[in-house]
C-alpha cells in the first residue's frame, strides 16, 4: 500500500495575454484565470494510479492563500482523497521555502504514523519555473529523487520510473520512500466526472500553518516584454504562394 | 572569484552541446577572473573536440572525472563531482545550461550547499551585487532577481544568446576530480536506457530545418505532407502541445515551454497559433515562416515571412515546386 502526497500550485493561466499587477510584483490572474501546471495534472494522474494499484491514498497539498482551494478541489475531483492547504502567500516563498514547508507536513504525518511512501511534485512550476522544490524536498527528507518522471510503476517498495530523453527512455529503479518530479507527456490526465466533482465540492480541506519562516525568492520586480513589432512579409495566399516560399528557402540557404 | 560552468557533451559526439557553448559565452560576461568548466555525463579522457570547444570558449581548466560508477547517470553523484570541482577552482559562480541535466544537477548542488539558485537566466542586470533577469511564466515575463549565494548558482535559458568564441582562447588544462560518493548518492541512477524505435530524435533539437505542425493539421492521419516536407528539407517534425495532448504525435516532438527548445536555421510553422508557451521554444530560430489560415494569428505576426492559407494546400504545392 503506497500513500502518495502530490503537491500542486495555483498559477495564473498565461496562455493568453499576460498582465502584471499594478505594483509590477506579480502576474495578475484576474483576467486570464488560474490553473495548476500541466506537469502537476500529470502528477495527480500518476498519484491516482500508484495509490489505486496498491490500495493506498492520495493527499493533495498546496501552499497558498484561500483561493488556492480551487486547485485542491480540481485534484480532489480527479483522484485525490484528502487535501491540505499550507496557509501562506505563495509569492512570499522561494523554492527552498516551499520545500521546507512541505517537508514539515511530511514529517508531521510520518510522526503520526501516516508517512508518504511517494511524494510527487511538478518538474517546474508554470509561473516561476524554478526546477527546485522536488529536489530540495528530497534533500530535506533524505530521500532519493528522480526529476522528469513521465511514467511510474510501483511494486514491492520500489518504483520503476521512466524519463523521456531526446534519444529514448531512461529507466530508474528507486527504493521508496522517494520523491519524483513529474514532467508531462507520459500519462493523460483524466477529466473530472460528475461524481468526482460532487465529492470534491464536499471534501474537507485541512489548513495548516507553515512550519518555516520564508526567506523569499529574491524577486526584485517583473516586466512584460513588449510584443516585437511585426515585420512579417506575407508571401501570398494558398498554393499560389509556393514559388515565393521556395524562393525564400533558396535565399536563406536551406535548399539549393 | 572564478566562474565554474557545468558543460555537457554534444549528443552527436561533436564537442560540447550548443547550449553549453551558449552558457560559456554567458559565463564570460560575469565579473569573475577566469572561466573553468566541469564536464558532466561523460567519464574519462575528454574528446579532442570537447577540448577544442573549451579552448575556443576561453576555458582555463576543464574538470573531468574517471569514476566508472558514473557511467550510468545519477544526478546527485554528478552534483558531488561538480561540488568537488567548485571547491578545487574556488568558484564564486556556478553556472549551467538550462537543460534537464543542467537544472537537475545544479538544483542538487544548491540543495547540498543550501544556496539559492536562479533558473532560465537571460542576462546580467547588475554585476555587483549580482542581479540577473530570468524568464518566468513560460517566457512571457522577465523577473529581476538578486542572486546572493556563495557561490551564486544559476542556469542560463537555452538559446537566450548565440554562442561566440572568446577573444582570447583558454588553455583547457584537463584536471581530474574525485568526489566522495556514498551509495545514497546513486540511489536514483539510470538502470537501463531504451533507445527509441525509429532512431534518433535528438534530430529535433539539432535539426537545421524544423517543420512545425499544430492543431491546424486536423488529425493524426494528416501528417503525410508535413513529414514529406521535413524529409525533403532534411529536417525534423516539431509539434505544438495541442498535437501531443490529442495524441496525434508523441511528446518528444513537442516544441515549447514544456517541450524542446529549438534554434534551427528555418522553422516552418504550419497550423500553429503561436501561443507564448510555444514561442518560448521556437523564438530563437533564425528564420520563421508561418503558414496559417488566420492572418492575425500571433505566429504570423511574429514570423519573418508568412503564407496565408490552408497548410494542406500550401505544403503539397511547395513540395511540387521543390521537385
Ligand atoms: C503551462 C503551459 C505550458 C504549455 N507548454 C506548451 C508547449 O511546450 N508547447 C506548445 O506548443 N504549447 C504549450 N502550451 C499550450 C499553448 O498555450 C497553446 O494552447 C498551444 O501551443 C496551441 O497549439 P496550436 O497552435 O497547435 O493550436 P491552436 O491554438 O488551436 O491553433 C491552431 C492554429 O491553426 C490554424 N489553422 C487551422 N486550420 C488550419 C489549416 N488548415 N491550415 C493552416 N492553419 C490552420 C488556426 O488559424 C490557428 O492559428 C502550454 C500551455 C500551458 C498553460
Ligand atoms: N506553493 C506551492 N504549493 C504546492 N506545491 C508547490 C508550490 N510551489 C511549487 N510547488 C511544487 O513544486 C513543483 C516545482 O516548482 P518549482 O521548483 O518552483 O519550479 C511544482 O510543479 C509544484 O508541484
Amino acid at each position: 500500500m503506497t500513500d502518495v502526497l502530490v503537491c500542486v500550485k495555483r498559477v495564473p493561466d498565461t496562455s493568453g495575454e499576460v498582465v502584471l499587477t499594478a505594483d509590477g510584483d506579480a502576474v495578475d490572474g484576474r483576467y486570464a484565470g488560474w490553473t495548476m501546471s500541466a506537469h502537476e495534472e500529470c502528477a495527480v494522474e500518476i498519484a491516482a494510479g500508484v495509490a489505486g494499484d496498491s490500495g493506498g491514498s492520495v493527499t493533495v497539498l498546496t501552499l497558498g492563500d484561500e483561493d488556492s482551494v480551487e486547485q485542491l478541489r480540481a485534484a480532489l475531483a480527479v483522484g485525490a482523497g484528502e487535501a491540505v492547504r499550507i496557509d501562506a502567500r505563495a509569492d512570499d516563498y522561494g523554492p527552498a521555502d516551499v520545500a521546507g514547508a512541505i517537508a514539515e507536513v511530511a514529517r508531521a504525518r510520518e510522526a503520526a504514523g501516516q508517512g508518504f511512501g511517494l511524494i510527487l511534485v511538478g518538474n517546474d512550476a508554470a509561473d516561476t519555473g524554478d526546477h527546485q522544490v522536488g529536489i530540495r524536498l528530497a534533500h530535506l527528507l533524505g530521500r532519493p529523487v528522480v526529476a522528469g518522471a513521465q511514467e511510474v510503476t510501483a511494486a514491492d517498495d520500489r518504483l520503476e520510473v521512466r524519463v523521456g530523453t531526446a534519444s529514448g527512455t531512461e529507466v530508474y529503479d528507486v527504493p521508496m520512500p522517494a520523491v519524483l518530479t513529474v514532467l508531462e507527456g507520459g500519462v493523460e490526465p483524466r477529466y473530472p466526472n460528475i461524481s468526482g466533482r460532487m465529492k470534491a465540492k464536499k471534501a474537507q480541506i485541512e489548513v495548516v500553518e507553515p512550519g518555516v519562516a520564508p526567506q523569499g525568492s529574491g524577486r526584485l520586480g517583473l516586466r512584460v516584454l513588449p510584443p516585437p513589432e511585426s515585420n512579417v512579409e506575407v508571401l501570398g495566399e494558398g498554393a499560389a504562394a509556393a514559388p515565393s516560399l521556395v524562393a525564400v528557402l533558396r535565399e536563406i540557404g536551406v535548399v539549393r | 572569484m572564478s566562474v565554474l560552468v557545468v558543460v555537457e557533451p554534444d549528443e552527436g559526439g561533436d564537442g560540447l552541446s550548443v547550449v553549453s557553448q551558449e552558457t560559456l559565452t554567458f559565463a564570460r560576461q560575469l565579473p569573475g577572473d577566469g572561466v573553468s568548466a566541469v564536464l558532466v555525463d561523460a567519464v574519462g579522457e575528454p574528446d579532442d573536440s570537447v577540448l577544442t570547444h573549451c579552448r575556443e570558449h576561453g576555458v582555463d581548466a576543464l574538470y573531468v572525472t574517471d569514476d566508472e560508477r558514473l557511467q550510468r547517470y545519477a544526478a546527485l553523484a554528478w552534483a558531488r563531482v561538480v561540488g568537488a570541482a567548485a571547491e578545487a577552482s574556488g568558484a564564486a559562480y556556478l553556472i549551467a545550461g538550462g537543460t534537464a541535466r543542467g537544472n537537475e544537477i545544479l538544483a542538487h548542488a544548491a540543495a547540498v550547499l543550501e544556496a539559492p539558485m536562479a533558473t532560465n537566466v537571460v542576462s546580467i542586470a547588475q554585476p555587483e551585487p549580482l542581479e540577473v533577469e530570468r524568464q518566468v511564466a513560460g517566457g512571457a515575463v522577465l523577473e529581476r532577481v538578486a542572486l546572493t549565494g556563495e557561490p551564486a548558482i544559476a542556469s542560463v535559458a537555452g538559446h537566450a544568446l548565440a554562442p561566440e568564441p572568446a577573444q582570447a582562447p583558454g588553455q583547457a588544462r584537463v584536471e581530474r576530480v574525485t568526489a566522495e560518493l556514498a551509495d545514497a548518492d546513486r540511489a536514483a541512477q539510470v538502470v537501463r536506457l531504451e533507445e527509441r524505435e525509429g532512431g534518433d530524435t535528438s534530430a529535433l533539437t539539432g535539426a537545421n530545418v524544423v517543420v512545425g505542425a499544430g492543431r491546424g493539421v486536423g488529425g493524426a492521419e494528416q501528417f503525410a505532407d508535413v513529414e514529406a516536407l521535413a524529409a525533403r528539407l532534411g529536417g525534423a517534425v516539431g509539434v505544438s502541445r495541442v498535437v501531443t495532448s490529442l495524441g496525434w504525435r508523441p511528446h518528444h516532438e513537442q516544441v515549447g515551454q514544456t517541450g524542446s527548445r529549438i534554434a534551427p536555421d528555418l522553422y516552418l510553422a504550419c497550423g500553429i497559433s503561436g501561443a507564448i508557451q510555444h514561442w518560448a521554444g521556437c523564438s530563437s530560430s533564425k528564420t520563421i515562416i508561418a503558414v496559417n489560415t488566420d492572418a492575425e494569428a500571433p505566429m504570423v505576426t511574429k514570423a519573418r515571412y508568412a503564407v496565408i492559407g490552408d497548410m494542406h494546400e500550401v505544403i503539397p504545392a511547395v513540395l511540387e515546386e521543390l521537385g
Side-chain angles (χ1 to χ4, degrees):
Chain A
M1 189 183 83
T2 306
D3 291 327
V4 187
L5 177 70
V6 52
C7 305
V8 305
K9 182 179 187 185
R10 176 177 173 83
V11 295
D13 182 346
T14 49
S15 330
E17 200 193 344
V18 180
V19 181
L20 297 186
T21 52
D23 57 7
D25 216 27
V27 176
D28 196 333
R30 273 180 305 175
Y31 306 101
W34 300 85
T35 178
M36 75 171 84
S37 309
H39 301 318
E40 292 153 33
E41 289 175 359
C42 294
V44 173
E45 184 61 37
I46 288 175
V50 169
D53 290 346
S54 70
S57 66
V58 177
T59 302
V60 59
L61 173 149
T62 195
L63 181 150
D65 60 17
E66 247 168 66
D67 294 337
S68 60
V69 166
E70 187 186 341
Q71 279 61 46
L72 293 177
R73 294 210 192 276
L76 286 164
V78 286
E82 287 174 55
V84 179
R85 180 171 72 84
I86 303 175
D87 184 28
R89 228 186 119 231
D91 276 343
D92 296 340
Y93 281 64
D97 303 326
V98 175
I102 298 172
E104 285 303 311
V105 172
R107 285 194 193 110
R109 285 295 182 101
E110 177 117 43
Q114 306 167 316
F116 297 109
L118 177 60
I119 303 182
L120 301 175
V121 305
N123 184 71
D124 56 295
D127 56 349
T128 55
D130 290 313
H131 292 262
Q132 291 165 50
V133 168
I135 291 171
R136 289 185 186 273
L137 176 65
H139 279 258
L140 291 172
L141 297 175
R143 295 180 172 202
V145 54
V146 177
Q150 291 180 306
E151 290 168 81
V152 181
T153 27
D156 302 331
D157 286 334
R158 297 193 77 85
L159 297 164
E160 183 180 272
V161 182
R162 301 168 69 81
V163 178
T165 71
S167 51
T169 302
E170 291 179 337
V171 184
Y172 291 81
D173 169 49
V174 287
M176 285 194 272
V179 177
L180 303 177
T181 85
V182 174
L183 190 74
E184 73 166 350
V187 294
E188 198 56 56
R190 70 190 74 171
Y191 284 104
N193 55 26
I194 303 270
S195 79
R197 282 211 191 91
M198 294 300 288
K199 206 185 79 204
K201 230 181 180 164
K202 283 187 282 187
Q204 281 288 325
I205 289 172
E206 184 185 338
V207 180
V208 300
E209 290 299 314
V212 299
Q215 305 293 305
S217 65
R219 173 178 292 182
L220 299 168
L222 298 178
R223 68 188 174 105
V224 178
L225 289 174
E229 228 168 275
S230 177
N231 66 348
V232 62
E233 185 178 324
V234 176
L235 298 168
E237 287 186 20
S244 358
L245 196 157
V246 171
V248 170
L249 300 186
R250 294 219 158 83
E251 194 185 313
I252 63 174
V254 298
V255 289
R256 265 177 274 276
Chain B
M1 282 283 283
S2 75
V3 183
L4 180 67
V5 181
V6 177
V7 294
E8 300 173 55
D10 173 61
E11 293 242 9
D14 178 20
L16 297 177
S17 73
V18 173
V19 171
S20 294
Q21 296 178 54
E22 295 165 1
T23 307
L24 286 166
T25 305
F26 174 90
R28 293 198 306 269
Q29 301 167 10
L30 285 161
D33 53 13
V35 173
S36 302
V38 50
L39 185 63
V40 299
D41 215 4
V43 175
E45 196 58 35
D47 279 2
D48 282 346
S49 57
V50 166
L51 292 175
T52 304
H53 274 152
C54 285
R55 271 186 225 106
E56 265 175 37
H57 282 282
V59 171
D60 297 330
L62 175 68
Y63 293 89
V64 301
T65 182
D66 288 330
D67 194 331
E68 290 295 325
R69 290 174 295 178
L70 285 165
Q71 285 293 1
R72 286 180 299 156
Y73 179 74
L76 175 52
W78 278 109
R80 303 276 186 217
V81 172
V82 168
E87 211 172 292
S89 67
Y93 306 89
L94 181 54
I95 311 294
T99 60
R101 290 274 198 264
N103 282 325
E104 184 183 24
I105 293 171
L106 272 197
H108 276 287
V112 169
L113 295 166
E114 296 185 24
M117 158 177 170
T119 50
N120 287 326
V121 170
V122 295
S123 65
I124 298 162
Q126 171 183 298
E128 260 161 308
L130 183 60
E131 292 176 13
V132 294
E133 274 201 310
R134 56 185 289 260
Q135 292 176 344
V136 295
V141 180
L142 290 181
E143 179 189 40
R144 185 168 174 143
V145 286
L147 199 50
T148 49
E150 286 178 28
I153 304 177
S155 73
V156 180
H159 308 316
L161 76 174
E164 296 272 355
Q167 260 159 13
Q171 286 188 313
R173 204 174 61 240
V174 175
E175 303 265 1
R176 296 195 140 65
V177 282
T178 28
E180 297 264 335
L181 291 188
D183 284 349
D185 297 342
R186 292 186 300 130
Q189 178 163 36
V190 173
V191 293
R192 200 164 74 239
L193 189 67
E194 293 172 4
E195 305 280 334
R196 186 168 289 116
E197 273 175 55
D200 181 21
T201 46
S202 58
L204 174 59
T205 45
N208 282 331
V209 175
V210 175
V211 179
R215 193 202 300 267
V217 172
E221 313 305 319
Q222 282 155 56
F223 278 82
D225 51 0
V226 171
E227 284 178 333
L229 183 58
R232 176 63 183 80
L233 297 174
V237 174
V239 301
S240 73
R241 190 170 80 173
V242 167
V243 167
T244 56
S245 298
L246 291 169
W248 296 353
R249 301 291 289 196
H251 181 260
H252 65 82
E253 289 184 356
Q254 182 174 318
V255 170
Q257 181 189 352
T258 50
S260 297
R261 285 173 183 253
I262 58 170
D265 290 337
L266 170 67
Y267 184 46
L268 186 61
C270 306
I272 297 179
S273 62
I276 185 73
Q277 293 91 351
H278 189 82
W279 187 249
C282 70
S283 61
S284 302
S285 309
K286 283 210 189 77
T287 302
I288 296 178
I289 307 180
V291 178
N292 201 303
T293 43
D294 175 7
E296 303 298 320
M299 200 75 224
V300 171
T301 56
K302 291 181 188 168
R304 178 67 191 85
Y305 301 99
V307 172
I308 309 306
D310 184 338
M311 59 185 284
H312 293 305
E313 290 171 16
V314 177
I315 296 176
V318 169
L319 280 165
E320 198 178 309
E321 185 73 21
L322 286 167

